[in-house]
Amino acid sequence: MSPAARFRLVGLAAGLVVASLIPSAHAQAVKARPKAQAKKAEAKAQARAARPYAVEPTHANVPYGEHERQVLDFFKAESDGPAPLVVYIHGGGWNGGDKKPFADLKKLLDAGVSVATINYRLVPQARAAGVEPPVKWPLEDAARAVQFLRSKAGEWNIDKDRVGATGGSAGACSSLWLAFHDDMADPDSTDPIARESTRLAAVAVNGAQTTLDPKITREWIPNMKYGGHAFGFDAGGGKTQFENFHDGRESVAEWVEEYSPLSHVTRDDPPVFLNYPAQDKPPVKGEEQKDPTHSALLGLILEEKLKAEGVESHLAYPGAPDDHFQTPADFLITRLKSAKP
């Protein structure tokens, strides 16, 4: 064999070795992606956590679970008797965020409404742990936090019958899911916290995703792109994350139904205030939206169902017909303070 031929054979063999390593390296990169996303989300949460509250918490970083993200802050309002409570669930796409600051904190406390702000396990952390669907962790953590707070009713002067929730974006979706879902209390549990109710007396939210069903959201909002991450979808195969989610919807249909607020609406649900402050024009079904993830069309989807079931609802956005309530805090104060103690 000539030196030139031998050189070509050696080069070919080296190329085959490198090529055989490429799929393995790609697989390792894909496998590592959720862990990297979890670390990035945690870094963002820690940065946000450095920002102060307007008022110091009565109890800070109280664990309601074993994970480091399962903590809450509690602010006790001045009250002659057991006080109403508002649970604030932060936004961030379930990918990041932190329980502080909360803009309506002082307004609620001044009105005699206690407040709890919660952190929860995030979608990237759920994916890294192999949880399916990833959205299971943040939503079920919200329920657990409400149960924990009710278990503290005597110690923290909370009226169990007047518990509401609020939040923005993903935190708004979590709040609505809690509001409409059947009670997740387990009366036979050996865990006293799990025996507490998850039901709410009122909910008021900003920029809520009211359903995670891609068939519904794409029909109403042609440029919708949100939700796939909640069920473990990624971009790939020449498609965006949402396109893969939309096309693969049937494979996760049961999960989509379970974790979409819209799926759980019944006539015994609490009053709802839906605020969409980022809406730039009157929402029209089938038109592309400037901010599809927080479009008032999502509120219209839910309002349609709430009205059909006879549930009190209020939908607000710039240019909307005048409504008695101006902000989520106004609604919560009115509904929780007027409720029978």
Side-chain angles (χ1 to χ4, degrees):
M1 180 182 294
S2 69
R6 187 179 297 111
F7 179 80
R8 286 195 296 270
L9 284 175
V10 170
L12 177 61
L16 289 173
V17 170
V18 171
S20 69
L21 293 174
I22 290 175
S24 176
H26 176 71
Q28 290 177 2
V30 170
K31 186 176 181 180
R33 188 182 301 157
K35 291 184 179 180
Q37 290 174 335
K39 288 182 179 179
K40 185 177 180 181
E42 186 62 27
K44 286 184 177 180
Q46 289 175 355
R48 184 172 172 82
R51 298 170 63 185
Y53 284 117
V55 179
E56 286 299 310
T58 310
H59 303 287
N61 291 317
V62 180
Y64 65 88
E66 297 181 356
H67 193 276
E68 62 183 356
R69 287 279 304 175
Q70 292 175 305
V71 294
L72 59 82
D73 295 335
F74 176 74
F75 303 80
K76 185 177 180 182
E78 293 295 327
S79 176
D80 293 334
L85 171 70
V86 166
V87 182
Y88 168 68
I89 307 172
H90 70 76
W94 298 306
N95 281 326
D98 188 80
K99 63 185 184 298
K100 66 179 182 181
F102 172 37
D104 290 330
L105 173 61
K106 192 170 186 307
K107 184 172 185 177
L108 290 165
L109 291 174
D110 288 346
V113 178
S114 290
V115 174
T117 63
I118 73 167
N119 277 351
Y120 49 83
R121 294 170 296 179
L122 303 167
V123 160
Q125 294 166 335
R127 292 192 66 177
V131 174
E132 294 184 331
V135 75
K136 177 183 176 73
W137 265 10
L139 288 185
E140 294 188 2
D141 277 4
R144 176 72 177 184
V146 169
Q147 291 176 305
F148 174 83
L149 287 159
R150 277 200 166 98
S151 76
K152 288 286 191 178
E155 183 181 347
W156 290 356
N157 198 38
I158 296 169
D159 185 340
K160 289 186 178 185
D161 294 328
R162 294 189 289 167
V163 177
T166 189
S169 193
C173 186
S174 298
S175 299
L176 293 173
W177 183 76
L178 274 176
F180 305 143
H181 202 288
D182 288 344
D183 201 335
M184 289 170 271
D186 181 0
D188 299 321
S189 177
T190 57
D191 176 7
I193 294 175
R195 295 197 294 265
E196 296 286 351
S197 175
T198 60
R199 293 290 282 167
L200 301 175
V203 62
V205 292
N206 287 309
Q209 296 87 44
T210 59
T211 178
L212 299 175
D213 190 328
K215 297 289 186 183
I216 297 175
T217 57
R218 177 56 67 85
E219 177 188 355
W220 282 70
I221 306 170
N223 60 329
M224 174 54 78
K225 56 186 178 182
Y226 183 87
H229 69 298
F231 301 97
F233 286 87
D234 288 312
K239 297 180 179 179
T240 66
Q241 181 191 82
F242 185 85
E243 287 170 338
N244 284 330
F245 177 34
H246 183 272
D247 294 347
R249 179 201 177 278
E250 294 310 310
S251 66
V252 293
E254 290 186 6
W255 290 344
V256 169
E257 182 174 3
E258 169 57 24
Y259 294 105
S260 290
L262 184 71
S263 304
H264 297 283
V265 173
T266 51
R267 60 181 59 252
D268 61 340
D269 287 332
V272 177
F273 178 83
L274 304 165
N275 189 34
Y276 290 88
Q279 186 68 33
D280 63 330
K281 62 180 180 179
V284 177
K285 181 180 180 180
E287 287 189 357
E288 290 196 355
Q289 301 293 296
K290 182 178 179 181
D291 183 1
T293 303
H294 307 103
S295 168
L297 283 172
L298 294 165
L300 286 171
I301 293 171
L302 179 58
E303 187 184 49
E304 211 174 67
K305 181 74 174 286
L306 293 171
K307 286 184 175 180
E309 292 293 333
V311 177
E312 179 189 348
S313 63
H314 304 265
L315 177 61
Y317 55 86
D322 289 344
D323 194 284
H324 178 66
F325 302 100
Q326 299 301 310
T327 69
D330 293 331
F331 179 81
L332 288 167
I333 290 167
T334 301
R335 285 290 168 268
L336 294 177
K337 294 286 286 186
S338 64
K340 184 177 180 181

